[in-house]
Amino acid sequence: MDAIITKYHASNVKGARISASVSTRRVYVPYPYEFDGWRCHAVAARALLKAVGLPEDTKLIVGEMKNGYVFVRENWSISTGSE
């Protein structure tokens, strides 16, 4: 699984939402006003985990980007091909 990218979307029609996407999968969740900052985006990231069949309690590491956040699994690793 690649990194999960989240973004905030403001809309007068559909209301504020957050999208979470990985590869070709994307989910939208209503903006969770009970949280703030990256925690709002974590709600969307966890919804995406559920949508792709991964446990919602998967440990994620979060990083801030210019237009949102990025989440990666804690045990994610990159193969260097030299093993």
Side-chain angles (χ1 to χ4, degrees):
M1 182 174 156
D2 298 327
I4 297 171
I5 305 296
T6 64
K7 294 182 180 179
Y8 171 77
H9 304 272
S11 171
N12 291 333
V13 177
K14 295 183 180 182
R17 302 178 298 157
I18 297 177
S19 67
S21 60
V22 61
S23 299
T24 60
R25 295 292 305 260
R26 179 173 291 157
V27 297
Y28 290 89
V29 297
Y31 189 87
Y33 289 100
E34 62 271 23
F35 301 113
D36 63 350
W38 66 268
R39 288 174 182 83
C40 294
H41 291 257
V43 170
R46 299 234 174 257
L48 182 63
L49 288 174
K50 184 176 181 181
V52 297
L54 291 172
E56 289 181 72
D57 62 350
T58 300
K59 292 185 179 183
L60 297 173
I61 298 171
V62 61
E64 188 172 3
M65 299 183 344
K66 183 178 180 180
N67 295 321
Y69 291 86
V70 60
F71 294 82
V72 293
R73 289 192 296 176
E74 185 177 65
N75 60 351
W76 187 71
S77 63
I78 298 173
S79 173
T80 61
S82 62
E83 289 92 55

